[in-house]
Amino acid sequence: MSEVLAPASPLSNRLLALTESATIAMAKKARELAAQGVDVISLSFGEPDFQTPQYIKDAAKKAIDDGFTFYTPVPGTLELRQAICGKLLKENDLSYQPNNIVVSTGAKQALANALLSLVNPGDEVIVFSPYWVSYEEMVKLAEGVPVPLVGALENDYKATAAQLEAAITPRTKLILYSSPCNPTGAVFSKEELGEIAAVLARHPHVYALADEIYEYINFVGEHYSLARFAEIKDRVITVNGFSKGYAMTGWRLGYLAARADIAAACDKLQGQITSGTCSIAQKAGAAALRGGHGSAEEMVAAYRRRRDLVLAIAQDIPGLVTPTPSGAFYVFPDVSAFFGRTAPDGQVIRNASDLALYLLSDAHVAAVSGDAFGAPQCMRFSTAAADDKLVEAFQRIKRSLAKL
Ligand SMILES: Cc1ncc(COP(=O)(O)O)c(C=O)c1O
């Protein structure tokens, strides 16, 4: 009888090819160190440190008391989708109907829905780089081929329309970017988006996935949506959510706006995976939109102040090249000047991951290597922490880097 060999791993190739989120991995390391009593300052996670505004919490409590505890329609309650249409019209000059909107468990699921609905195996997805950690892995899960389009430091890491034109092939399905950008904080202007829209207009087979989750956290002025360019609106999927602008990370509420057939595809997919997201969170989201984004303005003022506090120290550290972010809540310095240097314990810093580990052990500051964002010469530090913590963190970083 021939012997039946057990496979080495029961896990699927799909899962085995997936990389763990670097931000989550670093946050885990920082928590482990903190549990040993070390005073760790964690700047690894992209999470507002503000409370969800009270009026939003009240709406959620009321939803529970009113018994709003049943399944909702898969793409979200009509109330919330109508509120989203109202927001998109008023704030973004985008006209959509509820059947263009799919509400999901965070913008993360909205992105995954769009990619899984549009990408065929082997399709190329042009990912503006540096990019948010999950983009590349999500494209791979959809069996697409991520094609990074690397923006130059001199252009605040923003890819240009000319670069895009050169990168498009007959296999290109989609471009994918965030503005304001995580991790660089770069914001695409109306003019830059107009040039990108003109390229897309020349290539009718290419769609765009525009991640606008940091819309409100913008220090330079008007946020502009790619979907506003009428000639390509039908091919733009706009993703947004409540995590950053309304400090609602734990509520898990995001959405996309797209052409009706694409929205219907995302609805169909979500209907087989998670169904509609939490009914209580949807009531909270509708209240958030009714209340406008006044609460975001206070948070934005704090993020700007913190950015400036951090830059005052970071831009003074020899070897660190730290562009001024225009939005979001990160700084993303080039740290490559430290590669090849030796730590006091004799360890050679070969790359940004070594530097991140060195800063964790020497300065007790957790940050993330740029590798996971497509920029191995960089590191990402979140500025979503209290002012005194940020100043303390960057003073520690300065002292530790001076030892290399
Ligand atoms: C660029 C970007 N897109 C999407 C998300 C996901 O947001 P959500 O909490 O709504 O899933 C994040 C969260 O860090 C992000 O930084």
Side-chain angles (χ1 to χ4, degrees), residues 46 105-109 111 132 135 178 182 211 213-214 241-244 249 252-254 330:
T105 306
K108 215 170 200 175
Q109 190 184 18
L111 289 161
W132 181 47
Y135 291 166
S178 63
N182 175 5
D211 182 348
I213 186 104
Y214 291 95
F242 297 77
S243 288
K244 317 289 175 174
T249 45
R252 310 308 303 125
L253 197 63
Y330 309 97

mmCIF file of all heavy atoms in Angstrom, residues 46 105-109 111 132 135 178 182 211 213-214 241-244 249 252-254 330, ligand 1:
data_model
loop_
_atom_site.group_PDB
_atom_site.id
_atom_site.type_symbol
_atom_site.label_atom_id
_atom_site.label_comp_id
_atom_site.label_asym_id
_atom_site.label_seq_id
_atom_site.Cartn_x
_atom_site.Cartn_y
_atom_site.Cartn_z
ATOM 1 N N GLY A 46 -1.775 53.702 12.711
ATOM 2 C CA GLY A 46 -2.483 54.852 12.154
ATOM 3 C C GLY A 46 -3.847 55.018 12.781
ATOM 4 O O GLY A 46 -4.858 54.790 12.141
ATOM 5 N N THR A 105 -17.617 47.009 6.168
ATOM 6 C CA THR A 105 -16.960 46.934 7.469
ATOM 7 C C THR A 105 -15.601 47.622 7.358
ATOM 8 O O THR A 105 -14.556 46.972 7.271
ATOM 9 C CB THR A 105 -16.853 45.455 7.897
ATOM 10 O OG1 THR A 105 -18.168 44.900 7.840
ATOM 11 C CG2 THR A 105 -16.335 45.330 9.309
ATOM 12 N N GLY A 106 -15.626 48.936 7.351
ATOM 13 C CA GLY A 106 -14.400 49.715 7.176
ATOM 14 C C GLY A 106 -14.104 49.952 5.703
ATOM 15 O O GLY A 106 -14.566 49.207 4.819
ATOM 16 N N ALA A 107 -13.315 51.018 5.468
ATOM 17 C CA ALA A 107 -12.859 51.289 4.101
ATOM 18 C C ALA A 107 -12.040 50.103 3.600
ATOM 19 O O ALA A 107 -11.972 49.839 2.393
ATOM 20 C CB ALA A 107 -12.027 52.563 4.079
ATOM 21 N N LYS A 108 -11.433 49.393 4.530
ATOM 22 C CA LYS A 108 -10.626 48.235 4.164
ATOM 23 C C LYS A 108 -11.469 47.223 3.375
ATOM 24 O O LYS A 108 -11.037 46.717 2.340
ATOM 25 C CB LYS A 108 -10.092 47.591 5.445
ATOM 26 C CG LYS A 108 -8.735 46.995 5.345
ATOM 27 C CD LYS A 108 -8.212 46.612 6.727
ATOM 28 C CE LYS A 108 -6.699 46.474 6.669
ATOM 29 N NZ LYS A 108 -6.092 46.230 7.979
ATOM 30 N N GLN A 109 -12.666 46.946 3.865
ATOM 31 C CA GLN A 109 -13.504 45.987 3.133
ATOM 32 C C GLN A 109 -13.992 46.587 1.818
ATOM 33 O O GLN A 109 -14.136 45.859 0.827
ATOM 34 C CB GLN A 109 -14.702 45.536 3.983
ATOM 35 C CG GLN A 109 -15.422 44.367 3.311
ATOM 36 C CD GLN A 109 -16.670 43.911 4.038
ATOM 37 O OE1 GLN A 109 -17.227 44.622 4.869
ATOM 38 N NE2 GLN A 109 -17.113 42.708 3.701
ATOM 39 N N LEU A 111 -12.311 48.546 -0.122
ATOM 40 C CA LEU A 111 -11.194 48.363 -1.062
ATOM 41 C C LEU A 111 -11.134 46.910 -1.534
ATOM 42 O O LEU A 111 -10.969 46.630 -2.729
ATOM 43 C CB LEU A 111 -9.872 48.742 -0.385
ATOM 44 C CG LEU A 111 -9.652 50.231 -0.120
ATOM 45 C CD1 LEU A 111 -8.569 50.440 0.930
ATOM 46 C CD2 LEU A 111 -9.269 50.951 -1.417
ATOM 47 N N TRP A 132 -0.212 52.441 0.926
ATOM 48 C CA TRP A 132 -0.677 51.880 2.197
ATOM 49 C C TRP A 132 -0.448 50.361 2.194
ATOM 50 O O TRP A 132 -0.674 49.708 1.174
ATOM 51 C CB TRP A 132 -2.164 52.198 2.401
ATOM 52 C CG TRP A 132 -2.706 51.682 3.686
ATOM 53 C CD1 TRP A 132 -2.132 51.807 4.932
ATOM 54 C CD2 TRP A 132 -3.900 50.928 3.878
ATOM 55 N NE1 TRP A 132 -2.927 51.204 5.875
ATOM 56 C CE2 TRP A 132 -4.015 50.652 5.249
ATOM 57 C CE3 TRP A 132 -4.892 50.482 3.014
ATOM 58 C CZ2 TRP A 132 -5.081 49.944 5.795
ATOM 59 C CZ3 TRP A 132 -5.958 49.785 3.553
ATOM 60 C CH2 TRP A 132 -6.044 49.516 4.920
ATOM 61 N N TYR A 135 -2.621 47.556 0.325
ATOM 62 C CA TYR A 135 -2.946 47.570 -1.110
ATOM 63 C C TYR A 135 -2.313 46.388 -1.854
ATOM 64 O O TYR A 135 -2.972 45.679 -2.613
ATOM 65 C CB TYR A 135 -2.456 48.853 -1.778
ATOM 66 C CG TYR A 135 -3.173 50.125 -1.402
ATOM 67 C CD1 TYR A 135 -2.616 51.357 -1.733
ATOM 68 C CD2 TYR A 135 -4.389 50.113 -0.741
ATOM 69 C CE1 TYR A 135 -3.261 52.552 -1.412
ATOM 70 C CE2 TYR A 135 -5.026 51.302 -0.408
ATOM 71 C CZ TYR A 135 -4.456 52.515 -0.748
ATOM 72 O OH TYR A 135 -5.081 53.680 -0.436
ATOM 73 N N SER A 178 -3.955 56.646 -2.544
ATOM 74 C CA SER A 178 -4.669 57.394 -1.502
ATOM 75 C C SER A 178 -4.214 58.844 -1.533
ATOM 76 O O SER A 178 -3.041 59.137 -1.751
ATOM 77 C CB SER A 178 -4.436 56.786 -0.112
ATOM 78 O OG SER A 178 -3.075 56.832 0.277
ATOM 79 N N ASN A 182 -1.463 57.885 2.880
ATOM 80 C CA ASN A 182 -0.786 57.118 3.912
ATOM 81 C C ASN A 182 0.204 56.245 3.155
ATOM 82 O O ASN A 182 -0.234 55.470 2.318
ATOM 83 C CB ASN A 182 -1.808 56.251 4.665
ATOM 84 C CG ASN A 182 -1.159 55.337 5.676
ATOM 85 O OD1 ASN A 182 0.037 55.397 5.901
ATOM 86 N ND2 ASN A 182 -1.971 54.481 6.288
ATOM 87 N N ASP A 211 -8.712 56.218 -2.865
ATOM 88 C CA ASP A 211 -8.933 56.052 -1.428
ATOM 89 C C ASP A 211 -8.838 57.427 -0.772
ATOM 90 O O ASP A 211 -7.764 58.021 -0.703
ATOM 91 C CB ASP A 211 -7.862 55.089 -0.889
ATOM 92 C CG ASP A 211 -8.008 54.804 0.596
ATOM 93 O OD1 ASP A 211 -8.767 55.501 1.280
ATOM 94 O OD2 ASP A 211 -7.319 53.868 1.063
ATOM 95 N N ILE A 213 -9.872 58.228 2.411
ATOM 96 C CA ILE A 213 -10.177 58.071 3.844
ATOM 97 C C ILE A 213 -9.618 59.218 4.696
ATOM 98 O O ILE A 213 -10.162 59.540 5.741
ATOM 99 C CB ILE A 213 -9.693 56.686 4.348
ATOM 100 C CG1 ILE A 213 -10.117 56.425 5.794
ATOM 101 C CG2 ILE A 213 -8.200 56.533 4.275
ATOM 102 C CD1 ILE A 213 -11.251 55.494 5.930
ATOM 103 N N TYR A 214 -8.526 59.859 4.223
ATOM 104 C CA TYR A 214 -7.947 60.973 5.000
ATOM 105 C C TYR A 214 -8.447 62.333 4.511
ATOM 106 O O TYR A 214 -7.834 63.359 4.797
ATOM 107 C CB TYR A 214 -6.409 60.930 4.936
ATOM 108 C CG TYR A 214 -5.830 59.761 5.692
ATOM 109 C CD1 TYR A 214 -5.514 58.579 5.040
ATOM 110 C CD2 TYR A 214 -5.640 59.812 7.075
ATOM 111 C CE1 TYR A 214 -5.028 57.485 5.728
ATOM 112 C CE2 TYR A 214 -5.155 58.729 7.765
ATOM 113 C CZ TYR A 214 -4.849 57.569 7.091
ATOM 114 O OH TYR A 214 -4.375 56.492 7.781
ATOM 115 N N GLY A 241 -14.569 56.625 4.459
ATOM 116 C CA GLY A 241 -15.045 55.962 5.667
ATOM 117 C C GLY A 241 -15.030 56.902 6.846
ATOM 118 O O GLY A 241 -14.774 58.104 6.703
ATOM 119 N N PHE A 242 -15.294 56.343 7.997
ATOM 120 C CA PHE A 242 -15.500 57.146 9.204
ATOM 121 C C PHE A 242 -14.338 57.051 10.180
ATOM 122 O O PHE A 242 -14.283 57.796 11.159
ATOM 123 C CB PHE A 242 -16.797 56.687 9.893
ATOM 124 C CG PHE A 242 -18.020 56.919 9.048
ATOM 125 C CD1 PHE A 242 -18.323 56.068 7.983
ATOM 126 C CD2 PHE A 242 -18.846 57.999 9.281
ATOM 127 C CE1 PHE A 242 -19.434 56.287 7.189
ATOM 128 C CE2 PHE A 242 -19.966 58.224 8.492
ATOM 129 C CZ PHE A 242 -20.255 57.368 7.440
ATOM 130 N N SER A 243 -13.400 56.119 9.938
ATOM 131 C CA SER A 243 -12.353 55.834 10.936
ATOM 132 C C SER A 243 -11.508 57.046 11.268
ATOM 133 O O SER A 243 -11.251 57.326 12.439
ATOM 134 C CB SER A 243 -11.424 54.727 10.424
ATOM 135 O OG SER A 243 -12.091 53.497 10.436
ATOM 136 N N LYS A 244 -11.058 57.751 10.246
ATOM 137 C CA LYS A 244 -10.080 58.820 10.478
ATOM 138 C C LYS A 244 -10.785 60.149 10.748
ATOM 139 O O LYS A 244 -10.504 60.812 11.734
ATOM 140 C CB LYS A 244 -9.132 58.942 9.281
ATOM 141 C CG LYS A 244 -8.647 57.609 8.714
ATOM 142 C CD LYS A 244 -7.667 56.879 9.617
ATOM 143 C CE LYS A 244 -7.340 55.501 9.033
ATOM 144 N NZ LYS A 244 -6.317 54.773 9.753
ATOM 145 N N THR A 249 -12.477 54.387 14.447
ATOM 146 C CA THR A 249 -11.773 53.195 13.950
ATOM 147 C C THR A 249 -12.451 51.883 14.367
ATOM 148 O O THR A 249 -12.584 50.971 13.573
ATOM 149 C CB THR A 249 -10.307 53.182 14.424
ATOM 150 O OG1 THR A 249 -10.275 53.522 15.803
ATOM 151 C CG2 THR A 249 -9.446 54.149 13.648
ATOM 152 N N ARG A 252 -15.850 50.229 12.629
ATOM 153 C CA ARG A 252 -15.708 49.514 11.363
ATOM 154 C C ARG A 252 -16.787 49.917 10.354
ATOM 155 O O ARG A 252 -17.722 49.161 10.057
ATOM 156 C CB ARG A 252 -15.716 47.978 11.576
ATOM 157 C CG ARG A 252 -14.768 47.476 12.633
ATOM 158 C CD ARG A 252 -13.311 47.972 12.464
ATOM 159 N NE ARG A 252 -12.747 47.638 11.180
ATOM 160 C CZ ARG A 252 -12.213 48.554 10.345
ATOM 161 N NH1 ARG A 252 -12.167 49.829 10.663
ATOM 162 N NH2 ARG A 252 -11.702 48.179 9.203
ATOM 163 N N LEU A 253 -16.624 51.109 9.845
ATOM 164 C CA LEU A 253 -17.616 51.640 8.915
ATOM 165 C C LEU A 253 -16.919 52.406 7.792
ATOM 166 O O LEU A 253 -16.203 53.381 8.036
ATOM 167 C CB LEU A 253 -18.551 52.581 9.692
ATOM 168 C CG LEU A 253 -19.879 52.947 9.043
ATOM 169 C CD1 LEU A 253 -20.751 51.704 8.848
ATOM 170 C CD2 LEU A 253 -20.637 53.963 9.899
ATOM 171 N N GLY A 254 -17.116 51.931 6.568
ATOM 172 C CA GLY A 254 -16.566 52.606 5.404
ATOM 173 C C GLY A 254 -17.516 52.400 4.236
ATOM 174 O O GLY A 254 -18.548 51.733 4.365
ATOM 175 N N TYR A 330 1.067 61.258 9.527
ATOM 176 C CA TYR A 330 2.323 60.518 9.520
ATOM 177 C C TYR A 330 3.452 61.435 9.072
ATOM 178 O O TYR A 330 3.208 62.390 8.327
ATOM 179 C CB TYR A 330 2.258 59.346 8.532
ATOM 180 C CG TYR A 330 1.050 58.477 8.721
ATOM 181 C CD1 TYR A 330 -0.092 58.660 7.937
ATOM 182 C CD2 TYR A 330 1.028 57.502 9.707
ATOM 183 C CE1 TYR A 330 -1.228 57.890 8.133
ATOM 184 C CE2 TYR A 330 -0.115 56.725 9.910
ATOM 185 C CZ TYR A 330 -1.225 56.929 9.125
ATOM 186 O OH TYR A 330 -2.354 56.164 9.329
HETATM 187 C C1 LIG B 1 -5.014 54.637 3.306
HETATM 188 C C2 LIG B 1 -5.967 53.855 4.143
HETATM 189 N N1 LIG B 1 -7.038 53.298 3.562
HETATM 190 C C3 LIG B 1 -7.910 52.568 4.261
HETATM 191 C C4 LIG B 1 -7.749 52.370 5.612
HETATM 192 C C5 LIG B 1 -8.754 51.499 6.319
HETATM 193 O O1 LIG B 1 -9.656 52.225 7.052
HETATM 194 P P1 LIG B 1 -10.861 51.533 7.821
HETATM 195 O O2 LIG B 1 -10.580 51.654 9.271
HETATM 196 O O3 LIG B 1 -12.074 52.328 7.412
HETATM 197 O O4 LIG B 1 -10.960 50.124 7.367
HETATM 198 C C6 LIG B 1 -6.660 52.921 6.270
HETATM 199 C C7 LIG B 1 -6.457 52.669 7.715
HETATM 200 O O5 LIG B 1 -5.366 52.791 8.250
HETATM 201 C C8 LIG B 1 -5.736 53.690 5.515
HETATM 202 O O6 LIG B 1 -4.675 54.245 6.095
#
